[in-house]
């Protein structure tokens, strides 16, 4: 099963949702933007990322506009299921935008970025603020 959500903004309580609790080993949760758990590189953050990576299902995210791109880029890229990812911890990965992945017999295109009313800017395909 593939479950799609978005805008977790670093809020671990979002993983208590009953639809997410139904995910089993081998299932996939895709977070479409504003994952928000990679922000400052602190010990607390690393502990949370490790906890998310130990989930029995895959936790995948595409970055949104509210991400710390400098911190994300500290993780090495690797090929996974046909596309490039950043393996964060265990079953937790960032899907690199512009790649196509094979998930549960389906092809999934990763496309991130967005606009922000806060600063009237947007990110191009390389994550560069315009």
């Amino acid at each position: 099963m593939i479950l799609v959500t978005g805008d977790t903004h670093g809020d671990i309580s979002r993983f208590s949702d009953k639809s997410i609790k139904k995910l089993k080993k081998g299932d996939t949760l895709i977070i479409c933007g504003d994952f928000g758990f990679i922000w400052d590189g602190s010990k607390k953050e690393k502990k949370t990322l490790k906890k998310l990576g130990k989930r029995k299902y895959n936790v995948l995210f595409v970055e949104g506009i509210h991400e710390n791109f400098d911190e994300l880029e500290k993780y090495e890229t690797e090929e996974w299921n046909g596309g490039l990812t950043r393996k964060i911890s265990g079953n937790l990965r960032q899907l690199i935008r512009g790649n196509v992945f094979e998930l549960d017999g389906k092809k999934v295109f990763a496309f991130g970025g967005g606009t922000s009313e806060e600063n009237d800017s947007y990110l191009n395909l390389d994550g560069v603020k315009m």
Side-chain angles (χ1 to χ4, degrees):
M1 174 169 65
I2 299 173
L3 178 65
V4 179
T5 189
D7 300 309
T8 52
H9 291 283
D11 181 0
I12 198 73
S13 71
R14 291 286 310 274
F15 288 84
S16 299
D17 183 271
K18 59 183 168 180
S19 59
I20 292 175
K21 286 184 173 185
K22 292 179 183 176
L23 292 171
K24 298 178 176 84
K25 185 176 181 172
D27 288 343
T28 301
L29 172 65
I30 300 175
I31 301 163
C32 296
D34 294 345
F35 176 64
F37 286 91
I38 299 174
W39 199 254
D40 59 14
S42 67
K43 283 185 179 183
K44 180 180 179 187
E45 178 178 281
K46 290 178 193 279
K47 184 177 178 182
T48 301
L49 293 172
K50 191 173 182 179
K51 182 178 178 181
L52 288 172
K54 288 184 176 181
R55 302 250 167 184
K56 58 190 171 196
Y57 52 87
N58 293 309
V59 179
L60 310 175
F61 69 94
V62 177
E63 74 280 0
I65 195 164
H66 296 108
E67 310 288 358
N68 185 331
F69 291 93
D70 292 334
E71 283 296 316
L72 278 172
E73 289 175 8
K74 291 178 182 178
Y75 294 89
E76 290 188 32
T77 59
E78 67 179 27
E79 191 169 328
W80 179 82
N81 286 19
L84 284 179
T85 67
R86 286 191 174 91
K87 185 171 183 176
I88 308 302
S89 176
N91 289 331
L92 173 61
R93 294 177 179 272
Q94 175 196 3
L95 302 178
I96 305 294
R97 64 172 80 188
N99 284 265
V100 177
F101 301 89
E102 179 84 25
L103 301 173
D104 201 21
K106 298 181 178 14
K107 293 200 183 271
V108 175
F109 176 68
F111 189 82
T115 62
S116 173
E117 293 176 13
E118 297 163 1
N119 58 15
D120 212 19
S121 65
Y122 70 94
L123 299 178
N124 69 14
L125 289 177
D126 295 319
V128 176
K129 197 175 202 180
M130 304 298 283

